[in-house]
Amino acid sequence: MIHYKTAAEIEIMRATCLLVGKAHAAAAKALKPGMTTQQVNDLVEAFILDNGGKPSFKNYHGFPAATCISMNEAVVHGFPGAHTLKEGDIISLDIGIYKNGFHGDSAYTYAIGEVSEEVKQLLKVTKASLYVGIEKARAGNRIGDISHAIQMYTEKTHGYGVVRELVGHGLGRDLHEDPQVPNYGKQGSGPKLKEGMVLAIEPMINMGVKDIEQLSDGWTILTKDRKPSAHFEHDVCITKGDPDILTSFAEIEQAEKANSNLSWSY
Ligand code: MG
Ligand code: MG
């Protein structure tokens, strides 16, 4: 069942979604080689709590941390620990905040120090594919129009692997609502987009094959060929006009550019 949001609910969600971007920016200011993923998580969790929110992912189906932290060949659902960031790593942070009865959910992949040109290209294309999908998030289109656009751009144009098993989703009072938003599919298929729908659109794109495996920790999803994977996510409200992106990367990108320990050439 799809829950359509009122204009007032959208504004409550927008405030939470913007807070997710600020939590990301707090991390983006701090990321550097030598930091542990536990330290990254703790910084984000403290930011969320200090701002009156709750981490959406903590204990969600038993997930062990506030933040999903997925390094290099980890696609999503990694969790923090003693692992230390080093130059050349990519780190995907997926942050969810619950506040005033609604969730915000946004992911971004950061490059620690200098990374290879092919990794930069993966990040650039994955981020661009998010906007290619969002462009189709318009009343009257269907979910498959978003899915198809992301798949064509990443798989057909750039030859990357599009993860099939994990998808975007509706968002609201629950972290995962209907409808599902796959990153692959047919134009004109799936539920029709209507005003008041809020969708978390989140391409998970692999440099190599589309296939994934789950690590024995019961959570972390890895690429089958162990090549890197990138993840970017915005929350988008369907309107009568242009897509309304409730989350923002503006402060993240600013922090990324100001932090000499991060690459940002994409
Ligand atoms: Mg997310
Ligand atoms: Mg999500």
Side-chain angles (χ1 to χ4, degrees):
M1 179 186 169
I2 296 171
H3 297 283
Y4 299 91
K5 280 78 186 178
T6 64
E9 287 172 335
I10 295 299
E11 292 318 309
I12 294 169
M13 289 192 74
R14 188 189 311 280
T16 303
C17 288
L18 291 175
L19 190 60
V20 178
K22 290 180 193 296
H24 264 286
K29 283 178 192 158
L31 288 172
K32 62 178 181 186
M35 200 173 179
T36 67
T37 52
Q38 188 65 51
Q39 288 173 314
V40 178
N41 175 79
D42 293 353
L43 179 159
V44 171
E45 185 168 12
F47 181 93
I48 294 170
L49 297 174
D50 287 349
N51 285 279
K54 280 188 189 165
S56 301
F57 305 151
K58 198 171 188 179
N59 301 321
Y60 185 78
H61 295 293
F63 187 73
T67 313
C68 292
I69 301 186
S70 308
M71 308 280 307
N72 302 320
E73 71 275 18
V75 180
V76 288
H77 303 169
F79 56 87
H83 182 89
T84 301
L85 305 186
K86 62 178 193 310
E87 172 120 5
D89 279 339
I90 56 171
I91 174 174
S92 299
L93 298 185
D94 194 351
I95 301 177
I97 299 180
Y98 181 75
K99 189 175 174 180
N100 297 324
F102 291 89
H103 293 273
D105 180 13
S106 180
Y108 198 96
T109 304
Y110 302 88
I112 306 297
E114 272 306 309
V115 300
S116 69
E117 283 306 317
E118 53 170 358
V119 167
K120 274 184 194 169
Q121 177 71 358
L122 174 68
L123 298 183
K124 185 178 168 183
V125 169
T126 304
K127 192 182 196 178
S129 78
L130 172 56
Y131 294 99
V132 166
I134 288 171
E135 176 54 33
K136 302 291 181 188
R138 294 170 182 278
N141 282 356
R142 291 180 181 269
I143 290 288
D145 296 314
I146 300 173
S147 307
H148 181 78
I150 294 172
Q151 183 182 12
M152 285 301 108
Y153 185 74
T154 53
E155 205 172 79
K156 198 155 188 211
T157 307
H158 291 282
Y160 292 140
V162 177
V163 174
R164 301 298 201 267
E165 294 85 345
L166 300 154
V167 297
H169 50 94
L171 182 80
R173 293 191 184 276
D174 288 316
L175 180 60
H176 294 122
E177 297 185 354
D178 288 337
Q180 292 196 339
V181 187
N183 297 304
Y184 64 96
K186 290 190 171 66
Q187 274 176 301
S189 68
K192 204 167 209 175
L193 304 182
K194 292 182 192 159
E195 203 183 349
M197 282 172 90
V198 177
L199 303 175
I201 302 176
E202 49 179 317
M204 290 158 259
I205 306 298
N206 301 344
M207 185 184 283
V209 298
K210 67 183 187 327
D211 310 274
I212 56 171
E213 291 177 353
Q214 190 170 46
L215 201 62
S216 56
D217 66 13
W219 286 105
T220 312
I221 302 295
L222 301 176
T223 57
K224 191 156 196 174
D225 60 9
R226 301 299 188 263
K227 289 188 179 174
S229 182
H231 184 203
F232 290 86
E233 176 182 27
H234 268 315
D235 303 333
V236 181
C237 180
I238 307 299
T239 76
K240 280 186 181 141
D242 289 336
D244 184 4
I245 305 177
L246 303 180
T247 39
S248 171
F249 289 161
E251 284 168 285
I252 301 173
E253 287 164 348
Q254 217 173 26
E256 200 177 29
K257 285 173 189 174
N259 182 344
S260 59
N261 293 302
L262 297 178
S263 292
W264 54 276
S265 56
Y266 45 89

PDB file of all heavy atoms in Angstrom, residues 203-234:
ATOM      1  N   PRO A 203      20.576   4.271  -6.698  1.00  0.00           N
ATOM      2  CA  PRO A 203      21.365   3.349  -7.519  1.00  0.00           C
ATOM      3  C   PRO A 203      22.550   2.762  -6.748  1.00  0.00           C
ATOM      4  O   PRO A 203      23.270   3.497  -6.068  1.00  0.00           O
ATOM      5  CB  PRO A 203      21.844   4.222  -8.692  1.00  0.00           C
ATOM      6  CG  PRO A 203      21.478   5.619  -8.367  1.00  0.00           C
ATOM      7  CD  PRO A 203      20.470   5.608  -7.287  1.00  0.00           C
ATOM      8  N   MET A 204      22.678   1.433  -6.822  1.00  0.00           N
ATOM      9  CA  MET A 204      23.829   0.692  -6.281  1.00  0.00           C
ATOM     10  C   MET A 204      24.510   0.073  -7.488  1.00  0.00           C
ATOM     11  O   MET A 204      23.961  -0.845  -8.102  1.00  0.00           O
ATOM     12  CB  MET A 204      23.340  -0.378  -5.303  1.00  0.00           C
ATOM     13  CG  MET A 204      22.778   0.198  -4.015  1.00  0.00           C
ATOM     14  SD  MET A 204      21.655  -0.944  -3.180  1.00  0.00           S
ATOM     15  CE  MET A 204      20.059  -0.255  -3.667  1.00  0.00           C
ATOM     16  N   ILE A 205      25.663   0.621  -7.852  1.00  0.00           N
ATOM     17  CA  ILE A 205      26.262   0.313  -9.150  1.00  0.00           C
ATOM     18  C   ILE A 205      27.655  -0.283  -8.957  1.00  0.00           C
ATOM     19  O   ILE A 205      28.496   0.288  -8.259  1.00  0.00           O
ATOM     20  CB  ILE A 205      26.342   1.585 -10.025  1.00  0.00           C
ATOM     21  CG1 ILE A 205      24.955   2.253 -10.138  1.00  0.00           C
ATOM     22  CG2 ILE A 205      26.933   1.264 -11.403  1.00  0.00           C
ATOM     23  CD1 ILE A 205      23.862   1.413 -10.796  1.00  0.00           C
ATOM     24  N   ASN A 206      27.871  -1.439  -9.588  1.00  0.00           N
ATOM     25  CA  ASN A 206      29.145  -2.167  -9.467  1.00  0.00           C
ATOM     26  C   ASN A 206      30.038  -1.898 -10.676  1.00  0.00           C
ATOM     27  O   ASN A 206      29.558  -1.878 -11.810  1.00  0.00           O
ATOM     28  CB  ASN A 206      28.894  -3.675  -9.392  1.00  0.00           C
ATOM     29  CG  ASN A 206      28.015  -4.069  -8.209  1.00  0.00           C
ATOM     30  OD1 ASN A 206      27.833  -3.280  -7.282  1.00  0.00           O
ATOM     31  ND2 ASN A 206      27.480  -5.274  -8.249  1.00  0.00           N
ATOM     32  N   MET A 207      31.336  -1.758 -10.410  1.00  0.00           N
ATOM     33  CA  MET A 207      32.277  -1.569 -11.522  1.00  0.00           C
ATOM     34  C   MET A 207      32.310  -2.799 -12.428  1.00  0.00           C
ATOM     35  O   MET A 207      32.482  -2.693 -13.637  1.00  0.00           O
ATOM     36  CB  MET A 207      33.684  -1.298 -10.973  1.00  0.00           C
ATOM     37  CG  MET A 207      34.682  -0.965 -12.056  1.00  0.00           C
ATOM     38  SD  MET A 207      36.332  -0.772 -11.392  1.00  0.00           S
ATOM     39  CE  MET A 207      36.238   0.845 -10.673  1.00  0.00           C
ATOM     40  N   GLY A 208      32.150  -3.963 -11.834  1.00  0.00           N
ATOM     41  CA  GLY A 208      32.199  -5.215 -12.595  1.00  0.00           C
ATOM     42  C   GLY A 208      30.817  -5.841 -12.743  1.00  0.00           C
ATOM     43  O   GLY A 208      29.872  -5.182 -13.170  1.00  0.00           O
ATOM     44  N   VAL A 209      30.722  -7.103 -12.358  1.00  0.00           N
ATOM     45  CA  VAL A 209      29.463  -7.841 -12.545  1.00  0.00           C
ATOM     46  C   VAL A 209      28.379  -7.341 -11.594  1.00  0.00           C
ATOM     47  O   VAL A 209      28.665  -6.771 -10.546  1.00  0.00           O
ATOM     48  CB  VAL A 209      29.671  -9.358 -12.341  1.00  0.00           C
ATOM     49  CG1 VAL A 209      30.656  -9.899 -13.368  1.00  0.00           C
ATOM     50  CG2 VAL A 209      30.125  -9.679 -10.916  1.00  0.00           C
ATOM     51  N   LYS A 210      27.123  -7.608 -11.970  1.00  0.00           N
ATOM     52  CA  LYS A 210      25.983  -7.177 -11.154  1.00  0.00           C
ATOM     53  C   LYS A 210      25.781  -8.058  -9.929  1.00  0.00           C
ATOM     54  O   LYS A 210      25.087  -7.681  -8.987  1.00  0.00           O
ATOM     55  CB  LYS A 210      24.705  -7.167 -11.998  1.00  0.00           C
ATOM     56  CG  LYS A 210      24.248  -8.551 -12.455  1.00  0.00           C
ATOM     57  CD  LYS A 210      23.024  -8.441 -13.349  1.00  0.00           C
ATOM     58  CE  LYS A 210      22.374  -9.757 -13.728  1.00  0.00           C
ATOM     59  NZ  LYS A 210      23.202 -10.928 -13.893  1.00  0.00           N
ATOM     60  N   ASP A 211      26.400  -9.239  -9.934  1.00  0.00           N
ATOM     61  CA  ASP A 211      26.120 -10.233  -8.898  1.00  0.00           C
ATOM     62  C   ASP A 211      26.729  -9.857  -7.547  1.00  0.00           C
ATOM     63  O   ASP A 211      27.804  -9.265  -7.477  1.00  0.00           O
ATOM     64  CB  ASP A 211      26.641 -11.607  -9.329  1.00  0.00           C
ATOM     65  CG  ASP A 211      26.162 -11.953 -10.716  1.00  0.00           C
ATOM     66  OD1 ASP A 211      25.050 -12.482 -10.829  1.00  0.00           O
ATOM     67  OD2 ASP A 211      26.894 -11.632 -11.682  1.00  0.00           O
ATOM     68  N   ILE A 212      26.024 -10.257  -6.519  1.00  0.00           N
ATOM     69  CA  ILE A 212      26.443  -9.936  -5.150  1.00  0.00           C
ATOM     70  C   ILE A 212      26.457 -11.189  -4.282  1.00  0.00           C
ATOM     71  O   ILE A 212      25.887 -12.225  -4.659  1.00  0.00           O
ATOM     72  CB  ILE A 212      25.501  -8.895  -4.508  1.00  0.00           C
ATOM     73  CG1 ILE A 212      24.046  -9.386  -4.552  1.00  0.00           C
ATOM     74  CG2 ILE A 212      25.643  -7.542  -5.201  1.00  0.00           C
ATOM     75  CD1 ILE A 212      23.074  -8.530  -3.756  1.00  0.00           C
ATOM     76  N   GLU A 213      27.087 -11.068  -3.127  1.00  0.00           N
ATOM     77  CA  GLU A 213      27.093 -12.135  -2.125  1.00  0.00           C
ATOM     78  C   GLU A 213      26.932 -11.480  -0.762  1.00  0.00           C
ATOM     79  O   GLU A 213      27.305 -10.322  -0.584  1.00  0.00           O
ATOM     80  CB  GLU A 213      28.439 -12.856  -2.100  1.00  0.00           C
ATOM     81  CG  GLU A 213      28.734 -13.672  -3.318  1.00  0.00           C
ATOM     82  CD  GLU A 213      30.115 -14.315  -3.281  1.00  0.00           C
ATOM     83  OE1 GLU A 213      30.914 -14.024  -2.358  1.00  0.00           O
ATOM     84  OE2 GLU A 213      30.386 -15.110  -4.184  1.00  0.00           O
ATOM     85  N   GLN A 214      26.428 -12.266   0.177  1.00  0.00           N
ATOM     86  CA  GLN A 214      26.374 -11.747   1.548  1.00  0.00           C
ATOM     87  C   GLN A 214      27.520 -12.330   2.347  1.00  0.00           C
ATOM     88  O   GLN A 214      27.795 -13.525   2.299  1.00  0.00           O
ATOM     89  CB  GLN A 214      25.044 -12.092   2.202  1.00  0.00           C
ATOM     90  CG  GLN A 214      24.860 -11.369   3.530  1.00  0.00           C
ATOM     91  CD  GLN A 214      23.446 -11.518   4.070  1.00  0.00           C
ATOM     92  OE1 GLN A 214      22.887 -12.610   4.077  1.00  0.00           O
ATOM     93  NE2 GLN A 214      22.865 -10.421   4.507  1.00  0.00           N
ATOM     94  N   LEU A 215      28.190 -11.456   3.078  1.00  0.00           N
ATOM     95  CA  LEU A 215      29.293 -11.873   3.933  1.00  0.00           C
ATOM     96  C   LEU A 215      28.731 -12.701   5.097  1.00  0.00           C
ATOM     97  O   LEU A 215      27.577 -12.561   5.464  1.00  0.00           O
ATOM     98  CB  LEU A 215      29.994 -10.606   4.467  1.00  0.00           C
ATOM     99  CG  LEU A 215      31.411 -10.706   4.974  1.00  0.00           C
ATOM    100  CD1 LEU A 215      32.368 -11.161   3.859  1.00  0.00           C
ATOM    101  CD2 LEU A 215      31.878  -9.331   5.481  1.00  0.00           C
ATOM    102  N   SER A 216      29.598 -13.518   5.682  1.00  0.00           N
ATOM    103  CA  SER A 216      29.156 -14.402   6.778  1.00  0.00           C
ATOM    104  C   SER A 216      28.751 -13.619   8.030  1.00  0.00           C
ATOM    105  O   SER A 216      28.228 -14.212   8.974  1.00  0.00           O
ATOM    106  CB  SER A 216      30.259 -15.397   7.113  1.00  0.00           C
ATOM    107  OG  SER A 216      31.443 -14.686   7.419  1.00  0.00           O
ATOM    108  N   ASP A 217      28.968 -12.282   8.035  1.00  0.00           N
ATOM    109  CA  ASP A 217      28.506 -11.499   9.195  1.00  0.00           C
ATOM    110  C   ASP A 217      26.990 -11.314   9.193  1.00  0.00           C
ATOM    111  O   ASP A 217      26.423 -10.745  10.125  1.00  0.00           O
ATOM    112  CB  ASP A 217      29.220 -10.137   9.258  1.00  0.00           C
ATOM    113  CG  ASP A 217      28.879  -9.208   8.086  1.00  0.00           C
ATOM    114  OD1 ASP A 217      27.921  -9.480   7.346  1.00  0.00           O
ATOM    115  OD2 ASP A 217      29.592  -8.195   7.922  1.00  0.00           O
ATOM    116  N   GLY A 218      26.325 -11.808   8.136  1.00  0.00           N
ATOM    117  CA  GLY A 218      24.866 -11.754   8.076  1.00  0.00           C
ATOM    118  C   GLY A 218      24.316 -10.433   7.558  1.00  0.00           C
ATOM    119  O   GLY A 218      23.104 -10.294   7.397  1.00  0.00           O
ATOM    120  N   TRP A 219      25.165  -9.467   7.282  1.00  0.00           N
ATOM    121  CA  TRP A 219      24.702  -8.160   6.825  1.00  0.00           C
ATOM    122  C   TRP A 219      25.377  -7.686   5.542  1.00  0.00           C
ATOM    123  O   TRP A 219      24.708  -7.397   4.558  1.00  0.00           O
ATOM    124  CB  TRP A 219      24.940  -7.079   7.911  1.00  0.00           C
ATOM    125  CG  TRP A 219      23.984  -7.186   9.028  1.00  0.00           C
ATOM    126  CD1 TRP A 219      24.235  -7.678  10.283  1.00  0.00           C
ATOM    127  CD2 TRP A 219      22.589  -6.853   9.005  1.00  0.00           C
ATOM    128  NE1 TRP A 219      23.091  -7.645  11.029  1.00  0.00           N
ATOM    129  CE2 TRP A 219      22.068  -7.144  10.279  1.00  0.00           C
ATOM    130  CE3 TRP A 219      21.733  -6.328   8.031  1.00  0.00           C
ATOM    131  CZ2 TRP A 219      20.728  -6.931  10.591  1.00  0.00           C
ATOM    132  CZ3 TRP A 219      20.407  -6.115   8.344  1.00  0.00           C
ATOM    133  CH2 TRP A 219      19.917  -6.423   9.611  1.00  0.00           C
ATOM    134  N   THR A 220      26.705  -7.579   5.573  1.00  0.00           N
ATOM    135  CA  THR A 220      27.424  -6.887   4.505  1.00  0.00           C
ATOM    136  C   THR A 220      27.211  -7.567   3.149  1.00  0.00           C
ATOM    137  O   THR A 220      27.397  -8.773   3.020  1.00  0.00           O
ATOM    138  CB  THR A 220      28.937  -6.857   4.822  1.00  0.00           C
ATOM    139  OG1 THR A 220      29.105  -6.418   6.163  1.00  0.00           O
ATOM    140  CG2 THR A 220      29.669  -5.919   3.866  1.00  0.00           C
ATOM    141  N   ILE A 221      26.824  -6.753   2.168  1.00  0.00           N
ATOM    142  CA  ILE A 221      26.656  -7.244   0.802  1.00  0.00           C
ATOM    143  C   ILE A 221      27.902  -6.857   0.004  1.00  0.00           C
ATOM    144  O   ILE A 221      28.280  -5.680  -0.044  1.00  0.00           O
ATOM    145  CB  ILE A 221      25.404  -6.612   0.142  1.00  0.00           C
ATOM    146  CG1 ILE A 221      24.141  -6.910   0.963  1.00  0.00           C
ATOM    147  CG2 ILE A 221      25.263  -7.074  -1.298  1.00  0.00           C
ATOM    148  CD1 ILE A 221      23.741  -8.360   1.029  1.00  0.00           C
ATOM    149  N   LEU A 222      28.538  -7.853  -0.625  1.00  0.00           N
ATOM    150  CA  LEU A 222      29.758  -7.636  -1.404  1.00  0.00           C
ATOM    151  C   LEU A 222      29.496  -7.920  -2.875  1.00  0.00           C
ATOM    152  O   LEU A 222      28.612  -8.714  -3.213  1.00  0.00           O
ATOM    153  CB  LEU A 222      30.863  -8.612  -0.959  1.00  0.00           C
ATOM    154  CG  LEU A 222      31.316  -8.597   0.484  1.00  0.00           C
ATOM    155  CD1 LEU A 222      32.329  -9.708   0.710  1.00  0.00           C
ATOM    156  CD2 LEU A 222      31.927  -7.249   0.838  1.00  0.00           C
ATOM    157  N   THR A 223      30.303  -7.301  -3.746  1.00  0.00           N
ATOM    158  CA  THR A 223      30.237  -7.692  -5.148  1.00  0.00           C
ATOM    159  C   THR A 223      30.861  -9.081  -5.287  1.00  0.00           C
ATOM    160  O   THR A 223      31.832  -9.409  -4.594  1.00  0.00           O
ATOM    161  CB  THR A 223      31.016  -6.708  -6.040  1.00  0.00           C
ATOM    162  OG1 THR A 223      32.379  -6.635  -5.602  1.00  0.00           O
ATOM    163  CG2 THR A 223      30.403  -5.311  -5.980  1.00  0.00           C
ATOM    164  N   LYS A 224      30.290  -9.874  -6.167  1.00  0.00           N
ATOM    165  CA  LYS A 224      30.778 -11.250  -6.332  1.00  0.00           C
ATOM    166  C   LYS A 224      32.222 -11.256  -6.833  1.00  0.00           C
ATOM    167  O   LYS A 224      33.021 -12.100  -6.427  1.00  0.00           O
ATOM    168  CB  LYS A 224      29.875 -12.017  -7.296  1.00  0.00           C
ATOM    169  CG  LYS A 224      30.156 -13.500  -7.305  1.00  0.00           C
ATOM    170  CD  LYS A 224      28.952 -14.307  -7.757  1.00  0.00           C
ATOM    171  CE  LYS A 224      29.167 -15.764  -7.369  1.00  0.00           C
ATOM    172  NZ  LYS A 224      28.018 -16.591  -7.636  1.00  0.00           N
ATOM    173  N   ASP A 225      32.553 -10.311  -7.716  1.00  0.00           N
ATOM    174  CA  ASP A 225      33.923 -10.284  -8.275  1.00  0.00           C
ATOM    175  C   ASP A 225      34.875  -9.419  -7.448  1.00  0.00           C
ATOM    176  O   ASP A 225      36.037  -9.248  -7.820  1.00  0.00           O
ATOM    177  CB  ASP A 225      33.897  -9.833  -9.739  1.00  0.00           C
ATOM    178  CG  ASP A 225      33.310  -8.423  -9.914  1.00  0.00           C
ATOM    179  OD1 ASP A 225      33.090  -7.733  -8.890  1.00  0.00           O
ATOM    180  OD2 ASP A 225      33.076  -8.030 -11.074  1.00  0.00           O
ATOM    181  N   ARG A 226      34.366  -8.879  -6.331  1.00  0.00           N
ATOM    182  CA  ARG A 226      35.175  -8.071  -5.392  1.00  0.00           C
ATOM    183  C   ARG A 226      35.697  -6.771  -6.016  1.00  0.00           C
ATOM    184  O   ARG A 226      36.619  -6.142  -5.504  1.00  0.00           O
ATOM    185  CB  ARG A 226      36.343  -8.871  -4.800  1.00  0.00           C
ATOM    186  CG  ARG A 226      35.919 -10.123  -4.028  1.00  0.00           C
ATOM    187  CD  ARG A 226      35.033  -9.787  -2.829  1.00  0.00           C
ATOM    188  NE  ARG A 226      34.788 -10.975  -1.996  1.00  0.00           N
ATOM    189  CZ  ARG A 226      33.694 -11.752  -2.077  1.00  0.00           C
ATOM    190  NH1 ARG A 226      32.732 -11.446  -2.948  1.00  0.00           N
ATOM    191  NH2 ARG A 226      33.545 -12.798  -1.278  1.00  0.00           N
ATOM    192  N   LYS A 227      35.083  -6.358  -7.126  1.00  0.00           N
ATOM    193  CA  LYS A 227      35.385  -5.026  -7.659  1.00  0.00           C
ATOM    194  C   LYS A 227      34.540  -4.006  -6.896  1.00  0.00           C
ATOM    195  O   LYS A 227      33.522  -4.354  -6.315  1.00  0.00           O
ATOM    196  CB  LYS A 227      35.089  -4.979  -9.161  1.00  0.00           C
ATOM    197  CG  LYS A 227      36.095  -5.789  -9.970  1.00  0.00           C
ATOM    198  CD  LYS A 227      35.904  -5.569 -11.454  1.00  0.00           C
ATOM    199  CE  LYS A 227      36.940  -6.376 -12.241  1.00  0.00           C
ATOM    200  NZ  LYS A 227      36.698  -6.291 -13.694  1.00  0.00           N
ATOM    201  N   PRO A 228      34.934  -2.722  -6.916  1.00  0.00           N
ATOM    202  CA  PRO A 228      34.222  -1.735  -6.097  1.00  0.00           C
ATOM    203  C   PRO A 228      32.793  -1.460  -6.555  1.00  0.00           C
ATOM    204  O   PRO A 228      32.425  -1.706  -7.700  1.00  0.00           O
ATOM    205  CB  PRO A 228      35.081  -0.474  -6.230  1.00  0.00           C
ATOM    206  CG  PRO A 228      36.092  -0.734  -7.264  1.00  0.00           C
ATOM    207  CD  PRO A 228      36.136  -2.186  -7.559  1.00  0.00           C
ATOM    208  N   SER A 229      32.023  -0.910  -5.612  1.00  0.00           N
ATOM    209  CA  SER A 229      30.628  -0.570  -5.857  1.00  0.00           C
ATOM    210  C   SER A 229      30.343   0.796  -5.242  1.00  0.00           C
ATOM    211  O   SER A 229      30.931   1.154  -4.221  1.00  0.00           O
ATOM    212  CB  SER A 229      29.738  -1.630  -5.200  1.00  0.00           C
ATOM    213  OG  SER A 229      28.374  -1.369  -5.461  1.00  0.00           O
ATOM    214  N   ALA A 230      29.463   1.561  -5.882  1.00  0.00           N
ATOM    215  CA  ALA A 230      29.124   2.901  -5.390  1.00  0.00           C
ATOM    216  C   ALA A 230      27.626   3.015  -5.130  1.00  0.00           C
ATOM    217  O   ALA A 230      26.819   2.272  -5.715  1.00  0.00           O
ATOM    218  CB  ALA A 230      29.570   3.960  -6.400  1.00  0.00           C
ATOM    219  N   HIS A 231      27.249   3.966  -4.276  1.00  0.00           N
ATOM    220  CA  HIS A 231      25.857   4.100  -3.829  1.00  0.00           C
ATOM    221  C   HIS A 231      25.560   5.571  -3.534  1.00  0.00           C
ATOM    222  O   HIS A 231      26.246   6.182  -2.714  1.00  0.00           O
ATOM    223  CB  HIS A 231      25.695   3.258  -2.552  1.00  0.00           C
ATOM    224  CG  HIS A 231      24.302   3.200  -2.001  1.00  0.00           C
ATOM    225  ND1 HIS A 231      24.067   2.915  -0.667  1.00  0.00           N
ATOM    226  CD2 HIS A 231      23.082   3.373  -2.567  1.00  0.00           C
ATOM    227  CE1 HIS A 231      22.750   2.900  -0.450  1.00  0.00           C
ATOM    228  NE2 HIS A 231      22.135   3.184  -1.582  1.00  0.00           N
ATOM    229  N   PHE A 232      24.577   6.118  -4.219  1.00  0.00           N
ATOM    230  CA  PHE A 232      24.107   7.484  -3.932  1.00  0.00           C
ATOM    231  C   PHE A 232      22.584   7.425  -3.809  1.00  0.00           C
ATOM    232  O   PHE A 232      21.924   6.726  -4.593  1.00  0.00           O
ATOM    233  CB  PHE A 232      24.506   8.452  -5.054  1.00  0.00           C
ATOM    234  CG  PHE A 232      25.992   8.734  -5.097  1.00  0.00           C
ATOM    235  CD1 PHE A 232      26.857   7.891  -5.790  1.00  0.00           C
ATOM    236  CD2 PHE A 232      26.526   9.833  -4.444  1.00  0.00           C
ATOM    237  CE1 PHE A 232      28.224   8.136  -5.821  1.00  0.00           C
ATOM    238  CE2 PHE A 232      27.892  10.095  -4.471  1.00  0.00           C
ATOM    239  CZ  PHE A 232      28.749   9.240  -5.171  1.00  0.00           C
ATOM    240  N   GLU A 233      22.032   8.182  -2.877  1.00  0.00           N
ATOM    241  CA  GLU A 233      20.582   8.106  -2.614  1.00  0.00           C
ATOM    242  C   GLU A 233      20.016   9.470  -2.242  1.00  0.00           C
ATOM    243  O   GLU A 233      20.547  10.160  -1.375  1.00  0.00           O
ATOM    244  CB  GLU A 233      20.332   7.129  -1.451  1.00  0.00           C
ATOM    245  CG  GLU A 233      18.876   7.019  -1.008  1.00  0.00           C
ATOM    246  CD  GLU A 233      18.698   6.069   0.188  1.00  0.00           C
ATOM    247  OE1 GLU A 233      19.656   5.910   0.972  1.00  0.00           O
ATOM    248  OE2 GLU A 233      17.602   5.503   0.319  1.00  0.00           O
ATOM    249  N   HIS A 234      18.931   9.828  -2.920  1.00  0.00           N
ATOM    250  CA  HIS A 234      18.136  11.011  -2.563  1.00  0.00           C
ATOM    251  C   HIS A 234      16.696  10.569  -2.267  1.00  0.00           C
ATOM    252  O   HIS A 234      16.223   9.562  -2.810  1.00  0.00           O
ATOM    253  CB  HIS A 234      18.048  11.980  -3.758  1.00  0.00           C
ATOM    254  CG  HIS A 234      19.112  13.042  -3.799  1.00  0.00           C
ATOM    255  ND1 HIS A 234      19.503  13.781  -2.706  1.00  0.00           N
ATOM    256  CD2 HIS A 234      19.843  13.517  -4.853  1.00  0.00           C
ATOM    257  CE1 HIS A 234      20.427  14.664  -3.071  1.00  0.00           C
ATOM    258  NE2 HIS A 234      20.663  14.516  -4.360  1.00  0.00           N
TER     259      HIS A 234
END
